[in-house]
Amino acid sequence: MTRRIRIASHVRRAARPGLVVALIASGFAANDSSAATWPITAEQRSTAQRTAQAGVALSELMPNAPDSYTVRPHDTLWGISGLFLKTPWRWPELWGMNLDQIRNPHLIYPGQVLFLDKADGRARLRFGQAPGDAGVVRLSPRVRSTVPPGDGIASIPFNLIEPFLTEAVIFEGNELAAAPRIVAAQEGSVLLARGDTAYVRGDLGGEREYRIFREPRPLRDPTTGEILGYEATYVGAAEYVRQGETRTGIDGKMEIIPATFRLTAIRQEAGVGDRLSPQPAREYTNYAPHAPQEPTAGQIVSIYGDALTAGQNQIVALNRGARDGIERGHVLALWRDGVRTLDRTDPTRPIMKLPDERHGTLFVFRVFDRMSYALILSVKDPVRAGDRFTEP
């Protein structure tokens, strides 16, 4: 079943570039107070300090960028960044526009007023009223200085990606072949729904919460054909209820008693033969968008789900992972290969290859050793396995 997710792309048009400043680093802390704070790297801080002295060139802002903005609930950093910065992942530079006032880029809240101070071809971020507003009384809610950190603005809504942090999994080998398996259902049922009882055999290892998977398939590099990992269809989740055992029956023969599980969540009906994998710890990580520091290039291996092509807000698997320098939060450019066609203006009719065209943006949110999962943030044409990506 193809799973689609949607990001609020209709960021309010009244937003201002100043909002982007520190928002980009706020990550998912806005949506969960237990979220970890995204670490600001030494390079990002250095960029911010340099920019704090000189400001950002006006040419780096969108031509129609307004001058001020009052932060609102449900604003997302990426959408606003795209409205006001030509390159929205360059958040450290905009954050550094006012390093003195924005000590912590994770603390931008709904209700705060941000504006751009433009002078001598440069722009700097300020908090408060824009110049020229002095003496104007505005009857509107004011921001309290005691707003809890969990209410900050998020970069991308965490709830849109959270399911895929456990559902979308790439196994390095075919571990599921030896994983615990559902061997029977209560009262002879063939398909299992949420709340049903399943009986399981295999080495459970003392875990209590499990994910259920089906039909692992190899993911191959589009160019080399090498198997990079195994992706299994997510079925649902189950919890351990009662231990199984092997005992001697009343007839003196050995009896196999499987372990008892209860299905707690279902994405599709489970059945006999489906495999269990321990539920990993929940990830609460801020995803500050940033470009790779080194040149990066690779291909899309597959579309998550059953679709042959993908569009905005769908998930794709990449043939690059941690060993290739890919990080969570990396922003990547999607490229469409130029088609081959005849030059009909030349009597010899030579075959030409038209230039490759950039037509979208990817956002990496989960990284494995040799592969990664990425969200399609924007795209012009359908995305297919084999399409290229590079640094933005």
Side-chain angles (χ1 to χ4, degrees):
M1 177 176 68
T2 302
R3 179 170 175 79
R4 293 177 176 269
I5 63 178
R6 187 173 301 279
I7 281 184
S9 59
H10 56 286
V11 180
R12 296 173 179 83
R13 293 289 172 179
R16 301 299 188 263
L19 176 59
V20 184
V21 180
L23 305 184
I24 202 88
S26 63
F28 292 115
N31 297 317
D32 194 298
S33 58
S34 64
T37 300
W38 179 271
I40 305 302
T41 67
E43 181 180 358
Q44 291 166 345
R45 186 169 296 280
S46 175
T47 299
Q49 290 170 343
R50 291 195 305 270
T51 309
Q53 299 175 3
V56 170
L58 297 181
S59 60
E60 295 298 323
L61 303 176
M62 294 294 287
N64 60 344
D67 295 325
S68 65
Y69 178 68
T70 301
V71 184
R72 303 177 184 181
H74 309 301
D75 279 339
T76 59
L77 182 53
W78 182 267
I80 295 172
S81 299
L83 287 175
F84 301 104
L85 282 179
K86 294 179 179 178
T87 51
W89 54 89
R90 292 175 62 178
W91 65 270
E93 298 181 34
L94 203 53
W95 166 48
M97 292 169 68
N98 193 3
L99 197 60
D100 289 337
Q101 284 185 282
I102 304 178
R103 296 291 186 180
N104 187 340
H106 301 272
L107 304 181
I108 301 293
Y109 303 108
Q112 288 180 319
V113 178
L114 302 162
F115 72 93
L116 288 177
D117 180 8
K118 301 176 184 178
D120 301 323
R122 313 293 292 185
R124 297 170 181 81
L125 179 70
R126 307 293 186 198
F127 273 126
Q129 289 184 323
D133 284 351
V136 177
V137 178
R138 301 183 186 275
L139 299 177
S140 59
R142 295 185 178 274
V143 181
R144 295 178 182 268
S145 60
T146 57
V147 178
D151 291 336
I153 294 297
S155 58
I156 295 177
F158 182 70
N159 65 299
L160 298 178
I161 292 178
E162 182 182 18
F164 294 95
L165 297 178
T166 56
E167 293 181 14
V169 180
I170 295 174
F171 297 94
E172 290 188 18
N174 194 5
E175 297 99 318
L176 290 180
R181 64 197 183 278
I182 297 176
V183 295
Q186 192 174 29
E187 297 178 354
S189 299
V190 176
L191 298 177
L192 297 167
R194 181 178 179 181
D196 286 351
T197 297
Y199 300 109
V200 174
R201 291 189 64 196
D203 183 8
L204 298 175
E207 303 291 339
R208 301 194 65 85
E209 296 185 353
Y210 289 80
R211 298 164 296 175
I212 305 172
F213 291 100
R214 179 179 301 152
E215 300 170 4
R217 59 167 179 153
L219 297 179
R220 298 180 180 274
D221 187 284
T223 300
T224 67
E226 178 186 7
I227 295 178
L228 302 177
Y230 292 83
E231 181 183 72
T233 301
Y234 178 83
V235 175
E239 64 179 4
Y240 172 88
V241 175
R242 187 168 53 250
Q243 181 178 356
E245 60 178 318
T246 300
R247 66 190 183 190
T248 302
I250 58 176
D251 58 358
K253 297 181 179 180
M254 298 300 296
E255 291 182 335
I256 298 174
I257 310 298
T260 303
F261 277 75
R262 182 174 64 252
L263 274 62
T264 57
I266 283 294
R267 200 61 80 213
Q268 55 182 293
E269 291 178 313
V272 172
D274 288 345
R275 301 284 176 164
L276 274 63
S277 177
Q279 188 80 254
R282 290 170 64 89
E283 296 183 14
Y284 292 106
T285 305
N286 291 331
Y287 292 73
H290 59 293
Q293 297 182 11
E294 302 294 335
T296 302
Q299 291 175 282
I300 291 175
V301 176
S302 64
I303 312 300
Y304 187 76
D306 299 327
L308 297 178
T309 62
Q312 184 174 353
N313 301 333
Q314 287 187 262
I315 304 298
V316 292
L318 313 180
N319 69 342
R320 296 290 183 267
R323 68 165 59 179
D324 307 296
I326 297 295
E327 302 173 359
R328 288 183 294 188
H330 267 171
V331 177
L332 304 170
L334 266 172
W335 291 86
R336 180 184 63 234
D337 286 340
V339 299
R340 297 183 181 276
T341 184
L342 293 176
D343 180 359
R344 301 185 183 280
T345 67
D346 187 327
T348 63
R349 294 292 195 274
I351 297 178
M352 307 178 296
K353 182 184 182 298
L354 300 184
D356 295 346
E357 297 289 347
R358 177 173 168 172
H359 74 118
T361 307
L362 296 174
F363 183 85
V364 178
F365 67 90
R366 191 157 197 213
V367 178
F368 302 91
D369 186 44
R370 305 179 68 188
M371 300 188 70
S372 304
Y373 279 123
L375 175 70
I376 301 174
L377 285 176
S378 63
V379 70
K380 296 178 181 177
D381 301 316
V383 176
R384 295 176 173 82
D387 285 358
R388 293 192 305 116
F389 64 84
T390 66
E391 72 277 4

